[in-house]
Amino acid sequence: MSSTPALRPRVVVIGAGIVGCSLADELTARGWTDVTVLEQGPLPAPGGSTSHAPGLVFQTSPSRTLAAFARYTVEKFSSLQVDGVSCFDQVGGLELATTPERLAELHRRAGYATAWGIRGEIVGADRCKELWPLIDRSVVLGGLHTPDDGLARAVLAARAQLDRATGRGARFLERHTVTGIEQAEGRVTGVVTDRGTFPADHVVSAAGFWGPVIGRMAGVDVPLQPLAHQYARTRPLPDLAGAEAEASKPILRFQDRDLYFREHHDRIGIGSYAHRPLPVDPFAVLPYDAARARGMEMPSSYPFTEEDWAPSWEDCRRLLPALRATEIEEGFNGVFSFTPDGMPVLGESRQLRGFWLAEAVWVTHSAGVAKAVAEWMVDGRASVDLHECDLTRFEDAQRSPAYVRERGSQQFVEVYDVLHPLQPMEHPRPLRVSPFHARQERLGAYFLEGGGWERPHWYEANAPLVDSLGPLPERDAWSARHWSPVVAAEARATRERVALYDMTPLRRLEVTGAGALSFLQRMTSNNLSKKPGAVTYTLLLDESGGVRSDLTVARLAPDRFQVGANSPADLDRFLRYAPRDVHIRDITSGTCCIGVWGPLARDLVQPLTRDDFSHEGFGYFRAKETYIGHVPVTAMRLSYVGELGWELYTTADLGLRLWDTLWEAGRDHGVIAAGRSAFNSLRLEKGYRSWGTDMTDEHDPYEAGLGFAVRMDKDGFVGQDALQGLAARTPARRLTALLLDDPAAVVLGKEPVHVDGTPAGYVTSAAYGYTLGRCVAYAWLPVLPAGTGVHVDYFGEKIPATVCDEPLFDPEMNRIRR
């Protein structure tokens, strides 16, 4: 399914900053040598973000993908030199804690480092002082030292890769301003500049904060907000007098005050995120020569705003008393890019084939991003999971200019904040609500946000049920955030009675047409050639057999299917490859869904319909179009909590009536509304996977425990060839179920797992299993027999856990199939 039009296609890269130069190097190294890089400014420092970047490379991130990008950037830049000068100075990194909350956060970040294979250790205040003698030891509690981090010489690294790419046949053309993108029949055909037109089979926008400008020329939305960020240099410091090296100490982060520091020989460079957001209109950024004519050093360098700097300067002097003897010599507000979720925007546009984005990329991740995009273009897939960066990941409601500006600005504010993994954004909310929202508010729903949706995580109306549970294990302050003991009561009520779950935010696609069945058969791994009324769990694989998504497909008529999908990327992939006799429509916003689950689910639903909802009349993984009271519904007998029940779908206008009908009928059965926290606990007890968290396209179905969803005897589905023989082999790793040994212990996900004292993997999903009385964690680990003891590193504490066979709850499936 590659969109490559030729063996050695013509590629035009727009932008010769660090990303464009890195991409040209990576493409030409893979044999795509007909590469032209267009740059509006002069080379090698054309005036974008690369030209002013301070070059900090901290590899540790909550995102495994960003960490992989940064690791490759360090590896690659460390190998590059220009005129005998290295493109990377591996001085290490040091993140300081001046509060107990920050020190706890550094322990968590140390866990990320271990999980992603990055060297790092928590050090005491004395060691911090040794590493950075200028700090005031009395204000520091400890730090995270990462010895392999350091300083990228971004302009030098760009030049080194420019030279290598040029040697393989690429050309770099400075002072070429792009004025248009040519296209025909849905494909890009060329790039128009003020100095001529360049034919192209592929065009990559690596224009940095000019990305939205290039995107508009192509008719492609680029959800990116440039913001200005303060950077200053001091006058020479007596304490650094005689410094020969550009830097000898680790790059320093003072995150409690949103500051970072690096040496410039005998001066200190200081960057601040402490000031108010300073958004910049990308369409108003001046070209290079116009910026110079106005006295600006470069287009990305805005005048320094002293009023924003003053509070930070006092914080700097408090941490580094030596600064009290000097002043700021120079400063500027440097422009760089943010997205609504802080991640890059990568991938090929479906609307304009051959037009690629490599935008919102910082120097830290530049080489890693370039490698991934080059792999994607040449081989059809990257070697690292990119779903967090995919240009299709944002919902339509998250693409408005107002949303991108507001959320991009907030990302700037939160760069150094201690963020809980469940912490919702504050604005703009509410944005998307289900038809049941008013009822949920009345029940005291605690809402978190995902994909713009307000999602109830528990309901305070259920608080009286907590008294009947008995004592629950006490939680630490971190795991107690965005949690309530009500969650345990909701999980218990689901297991013992019946609960209503709002499943509206789950994506629903309608696939119709004469070719619908053959199309879905080709795109997915399981056999969908079943009679109408069948529901099938299946996988969306890539050509290498990686799990791109998992789907639930209901055949409602011979040529009509409803697909339960995960993200906008699933819709995008279907639309890319659907033939003309197949019609695909996202019906999520016009519909809603209630999950009715629990041992009394049939008692609740059966009196409301004339159809037979008995086990014999309505079997597991079956679907019916019927009525619940006055409401037409599509009922699917599915359960992601391990209990009897149905998913009931109807149109959004009838959603409130459906909720009220079920609520009134359920009163005699003790019905409750239950939230996502209970749902997550119950699904983990049952071993149900969550795509994007438990598995991605880096994993094949068999190691992910999803081999049952693959039918190798089916003809010609995507990824089939790559899976040949995998079912019979012993994988090197496996998604593994763990139970924490201590009933009071809780982990949340992304923690490293140690086997025999050595880091061996990481946790994906985790939640307390209230039925089991233990925390359940799934982790990618080497294949280990049940009963093997391991340790999960939680804020520096090694918590014992045991490998278990799965599913942990009701392995005979008696509770679902009755």
Side-chain angles (χ1 to χ4, degrees), residues 742-754:
D742 181 354
V746 174
V747 299
L748 300 180
K750 299 188 178 181
E751 297 88 358
V753 181
H754 298 254

mmCIF file with all atom_site columns, all heavy atoms in Angstrom, residues 742-754:
data_model
loop_
_atom_site.group_PDB
_atom_site.id
_atom_site.type_symbol
_atom_site.label_atom_id
_atom_site.label_alt_id
_atom_site.label_comp_id
_atom_site.label_asym_id
_atom_site.label_entity_id
_atom_site.label_seq_id
_atom_site.pdbx_PDB_ins_code
_atom_site.Cartn_x
_atom_site.Cartn_y
_atom_site.Cartn_z
_atom_site.occupancy
_atom_site.B_iso_or_equiv
_atom_site.pdbx_formal_charge
_atom_site.auth_seq_id
_atom_site.auth_comp_id
_atom_site.auth_asym_id
_atom_site.auth_atom_id
_atom_site.pdbx_PDB_model_num
ATOM 1  N N   . ASP A 1 742 ? 1.877  -6.768 47.298 1.00 0.00 ? 742 ASP A N   1
ATOM 2  C CA  . ASP A 1 742 ? 1.360  -6.029 48.443 1.00 0.00 ? 742 ASP A CA  1
ATOM 3  C C   . ASP A 1 742 ? -0.041 -5.512 48.113 1.00 0.00 ? 742 ASP A C   1
ATOM 4  O O   . ASP A 1 742 ? -0.221 -4.743 47.172 1.00 0.00 ? 742 ASP A O   1
ATOM 5  C CB  . ASP A 1 742 ? 2.283  -4.853 48.755 1.00 0.00 ? 742 ASP A CB  1
ATOM 6  C CG  . ASP A 1 742 ? 1.835  -4.041 49.966 1.00 0.00 ? 742 ASP A CG  1
ATOM 7  O OD1 . ASP A 1 742 ? 0.739  -4.313 50.496 1.00 0.00 ? 742 ASP A OD1 1
ATOM 8  O OD2 . ASP A 1 742 ? 2.582  -3.134 50.369 1.00 0.00 ? 742 ASP A OD2 1
ATOM 9  N N   . PRO A 1 743 ? -1.068 -5.901 48.874 1.00 0.00 ? 743 PRO A N   1
ATOM 10 C CA  . PRO A 1 743 ? -2.440 -5.449 48.570 1.00 0.00 ? 743 PRO A CA  1
ATOM 11 C C   . PRO A 1 743 ? -2.610 -3.940 48.618 1.00 0.00 ? 743 PRO A C   1
ATOM 12 O O   . PRO A 1 743 ? -3.578 -3.410 48.068 1.00 0.00 ? 743 PRO A O   1
ATOM 13 C CB  . PRO A 1 743 ? -3.278 -6.125 49.656 1.00 0.00 ? 743 PRO A CB  1
ATOM 14 C CG  . PRO A 1 743 ? -2.464 -7.266 50.134 1.00 0.00 ? 743 PRO A CG  1
ATOM 15 C CD  . PRO A 1 743 ? -1.030 -6.825 50.010 1.00 0.00 ? 743 PRO A CD  1
ATOM 16 N N   . ALA A 1 744 ? -1.702 -3.236 49.262 1.00 0.00 ? 744 ALA A N   1
ATOM 17 C CA  . ALA A 1 744 ? -1.823 -1.792 49.366 1.00 0.00 ? 744 ALA A CA  1
ATOM 18 C C   . ALA A 1 744 ? -1.056 -1.045 48.283 1.00 0.00 ? 744 ALA A C   1
ATOM 19 O O   . ALA A 1 744 ? -1.180 0.179  48.170 1.00 0.00 ? 744 ALA A O   1
ATOM 20 C CB  . ALA A 1 744 ? -1.336 -1.323 50.737 1.00 0.00 ? 744 ALA A CB  1
ATOM 21 N N   . ALA A 1 745 ? -0.259 -1.743 47.504 1.00 0.00 ? 745 ALA A N   1
ATOM 22 C CA  . ALA A 1 745 ? 0.593  -1.079 46.519 1.00 0.00 ? 745 ALA A CA  1
ATOM 23 C C   . ALA A 1 745 ? -0.178 -0.758 45.244 1.00 0.00 ? 745 ALA A C   1
ATOM 24 O O   . ALA A 1 745 ? -1.049 -1.521 44.817 1.00 0.00 ? 745 ALA A O   1
ATOM 25 C CB  . ALA A 1 745 ? 1.793  -1.963 46.193 1.00 0.00 ? 745 ALA A CB  1
ATOM 26 N N   . VAL A 1 746 ? 0.189  0.364  44.628 1.00 0.00 ? 746 VAL A N   1
ATOM 27 C CA  . VAL A 1 746 ? -0.438 0.796  43.383 1.00 0.00 ? 746 VAL A CA  1
ATOM 28 C C   . VAL A 1 746 ? 0.634  1.390  42.480 1.00 0.00 ? 746 VAL A C   1
ATOM 29 O O   . VAL A 1 746 ? 1.508  2.130  42.949 1.00 0.00 ? 746 VAL A O   1
ATOM 30 C CB  . VAL A 1 746 ? -1.531 1.857  43.640 1.00 0.00 ? 746 VAL A CB  1
ATOM 31 C CG1 . VAL A 1 746 ? -2.066 2.401  42.317 1.00 0.00 ? 746 VAL A CG1 1
ATOM 32 C CG2 . VAL A 1 746 ? -2.681 1.279  44.447 1.00 0.00 ? 746 VAL A CG2 1
ATOM 33 N N   . VAL A 1 747 ? 0.593  1.060  41.196 1.00 0.00 ? 747 VAL A N   1
ATOM 34 C CA  . VAL A 1 747 ? 1.398  1.754  40.193 1.00 0.00 ? 747 VAL A CA  1
ATOM 35 C C   . VAL A 1 747 ? 0.440  2.258  39.125 1.00 0.00 ? 747 VAL A C   1
ATOM 36 O O   . VAL A 1 747 ? -0.723 1.837  39.055 1.00 0.00 ? 747 VAL A O   1
ATOM 37 C CB  . VAL A 1 747 ? 2.494  0.846  39.587 1.00 0.00 ? 747 VAL A CB  1
ATOM 38 C CG1 . VAL A 1 747 ? 3.458  0.389  40.674 1.00 0.00 ? 747 VAL A CG1 1
ATOM 39 C CG2 . VAL A 1 747 ? 1.889  -0.360 38.877 1.00 0.00 ? 747 VAL A CG2 1
ATOM 40 N N   . LEU A 1 748 ? 0.921  3.151  38.260 1.00 0.00 ? 748 LEU A N   1
ATOM 41 C CA  . LEU A 1 748 ? 0.023  3.839  37.336 1.00 0.00 ? 748 LEU A CA  1
ATOM 42 C C   . LEU A 1 748 ? 0.340  3.603  35.859 1.00 0.00 ? 748 LEU A C   1
ATOM 43 O O   . LEU A 1 748 ? -0.486 3.893  35.000 1.00 0.00 ? 748 LEU A O   1
ATOM 44 C CB  . LEU A 1 748 ? 0.054  5.339  37.609 1.00 0.00 ? 748 LEU A CB  1
ATOM 45 C CG  . LEU A 1 748 ? -0.377 5.778  39.006 1.00 0.00 ? 748 LEU A CG  1
ATOM 46 C CD1 . LEU A 1 748 ? -0.303 7.290  39.128 1.00 0.00 ? 748 LEU A CD1 1
ATOM 47 C CD2 . LEU A 1 748 ? -1.773 5.285  39.326 1.00 0.00 ? 748 LEU A CD2 1
ATOM 48 N N   . GLY A 1 749 ? 1.552  3.107  35.544 1.00 0.00 ? 749 GLY A N   1
ATOM 49 C CA  . GLY A 1 749 ? 1.923  2.918  34.148 1.00 0.00 ? 749 GLY A CA  1
ATOM 50 C C   . GLY A 1 749 ? 3.216  3.628  33.808 1.00 0.00 ? 749 GLY A C   1
ATOM 51 O O   . GLY A 1 749 ? 3.538  4.680  34.382 1.00 0.00 ? 749 GLY A O   1
ATOM 52 N N   . LYS A 1 750 ? 4.001  3.034  32.900 1.00 0.00 ? 750 LYS A N   1
ATOM 53 C CA  . LYS A 1 750 ? 5.288  3.537  32.409 1.00 0.00 ? 750 LYS A CA  1
ATOM 54 C C   . LYS A 1 750 ? 6.431  3.336  33.399 1.00 0.00 ? 750 LYS A C   1
ATOM 55 O O   . LYS A 1 750 ? 7.523  3.844  33.178 1.00 0.00 ? 750 LYS A O   1
ATOM 56 C CB  . LYS A 1 750 ? 5.196  4.999  31.978 1.00 0.00 ? 750 LYS A CB  1
ATOM 57 C CG  . LYS A 1 750 ? 4.211  5.244  30.843 1.00 0.00 ? 750 LYS A CG  1
ATOM 58 C CD  . LYS A 1 750 ? 4.286  6.664  30.323 1.00 0.00 ? 750 LYS A CD  1
ATOM 59 C CE  . LYS A 1 750 ? 3.325  6.862  29.166 1.00 0.00 ? 750 LYS A CE  1
ATOM 60 N NZ  . LYS A 1 750 ? 3.374  8.234  28.612 1.00 0.00 ? 750 LYS A NZ  1
ATOM 61 N N   . GLU A 1 751 ? 6.201  2.588  34.473 1.00 0.00 ? 751 GLU A N   1
ATOM 62 C CA  . GLU A 1 751 ? 7.285  2.303  35.411 1.00 0.00 ? 751 GLU A CA  1
ATOM 63 C C   . GLU A 1 751 ? 8.179  1.202  34.865 1.00 0.00 ? 751 GLU A C   1
ATOM 64 O O   . GLU A 1 751 ? 7.703  0.276  34.190 1.00 0.00 ? 751 GLU A O   1
ATOM 65 C CB  . GLU A 1 751 ? 6.726  1.860  36.766 1.00 0.00 ? 751 GLU A CB  1
ATOM 66 C CG  . GLU A 1 751 ? 5.899  2.904  37.492 1.00 0.00 ? 751 GLU A CG  1
ATOM 67 C CD  . GLU A 1 751 ? 4.433  2.892  37.138 1.00 0.00 ? 751 GLU A CD  1
ATOM 68 O OE1 . GLU A 1 751 ? 4.046  2.077  36.267 1.00 0.00 ? 751 GLU A OE1 1
ATOM 69 O OE2 . GLU A 1 751 ? 3.663  3.681  37.705 1.00 0.00 ? 751 GLU A OE2 1
ATOM 70 N N   . PRO A 1 752 ? 9.480  1.238  35.156 1.00 0.00 ? 752 PRO A N   1
ATOM 71 C CA  . PRO A 1 752 ? 10.373 0.143  34.749 1.00 0.00 ? 752 PRO A CA  1
ATOM 72 C C   . PRO A 1 752 ? 10.108 -1.099 35.588 1.00 0.00 ? 752 PRO A C   1
ATOM 73 O O   . PRO A 1 752 ? 9.733  -1.009 36.764 1.00 0.00 ? 752 PRO A O   1
ATOM 74 C CB  . PRO A 1 752 ? 11.769 0.715  35.008 1.00 0.00 ? 752 PRO A CB  1
ATOM 75 C CG  . PRO A 1 752 ? 11.576 1.754  36.053 1.00 0.00 ? 752 PRO A CG  1
ATOM 76 C CD  . PRO A 1 752 ? 10.208 2.323  35.834 1.00 0.00 ? 752 PRO A CD  1
ATOM 77 N N   . VAL A 1 753 ? 10.331 -2.252 34.977 1.00 0.00 ? 753 VAL A N   1
ATOM 78 C CA  . VAL A 1 753 ? 10.184 -3.538 35.659 1.00 0.00 ? 753 VAL A CA  1
ATOM 79 C C   . VAL A 1 753 ? 11.547 -4.219 35.676 1.00 0.00 ? 753 VAL A C   1
ATOM 80 O O   . VAL A 1 753 ? 12.216 -4.316 34.633 1.00 0.00 ? 753 VAL A O   1
ATOM 81 C CB  . VAL A 1 753 ? 9.145  -4.433 34.962 1.00 0.00 ? 753 VAL A CB  1
ATOM 82 C CG1 . VAL A 1 753 ? 8.987  -5.763 35.711 1.00 0.00 ? 753 VAL A CG1 1
ATOM 83 C CG2 . VAL A 1 753 ? 7.793  -3.722 34.877 1.00 0.00 ? 753 VAL A CG2 1
ATOM 84 N N   . HIS A 1 754 ? 11.953 -4.676 36.839 1.00 0.00 ? 754 HIS A N   1
ATOM 85 C CA  . HIS A 1 754 ? 13.243 -5.328 37.021 1.00 0.00 ? 754 HIS A CA  1
ATOM 86 C C   . HIS A 1 754 ? 13.052 -6.829 37.192 1.00 0.00 ? 754 HIS A C   1
ATOM 87 O O   . HIS A 1 754 ? 12.170 -7.273 37.937 1.00 0.00 ? 754 HIS A O   1
ATOM 88 C CB  . HIS A 1 754 ? 13.963 -4.767 38.254 1.00 0.00 ? 754 HIS A CB  1
ATOM 89 C CG  . HIS A 1 754 ? 14.272 -3.307 38.158 1.00 0.00 ? 754 HIS A CG  1
ATOM 90 N ND1 . HIS A 1 754 ? 15.546 -2.822 37.942 1.00 0.00 ? 754 HIS A ND1 1
ATOM 91 C CD2 . HIS A 1 754 ? 13.470 -2.209 38.238 1.00 0.00 ? 754 HIS A CD2 1
ATOM 92 C CE1 . HIS A 1 754 ? 15.512 -1.506 37.896 1.00 0.00 ? 754 HIS A CE1 1
ATOM 93 N NE2 . HIS A 1 754 ? 14.269 -1.112 38.086 1.00 0.00 ? 754 HIS A NE2 1
#
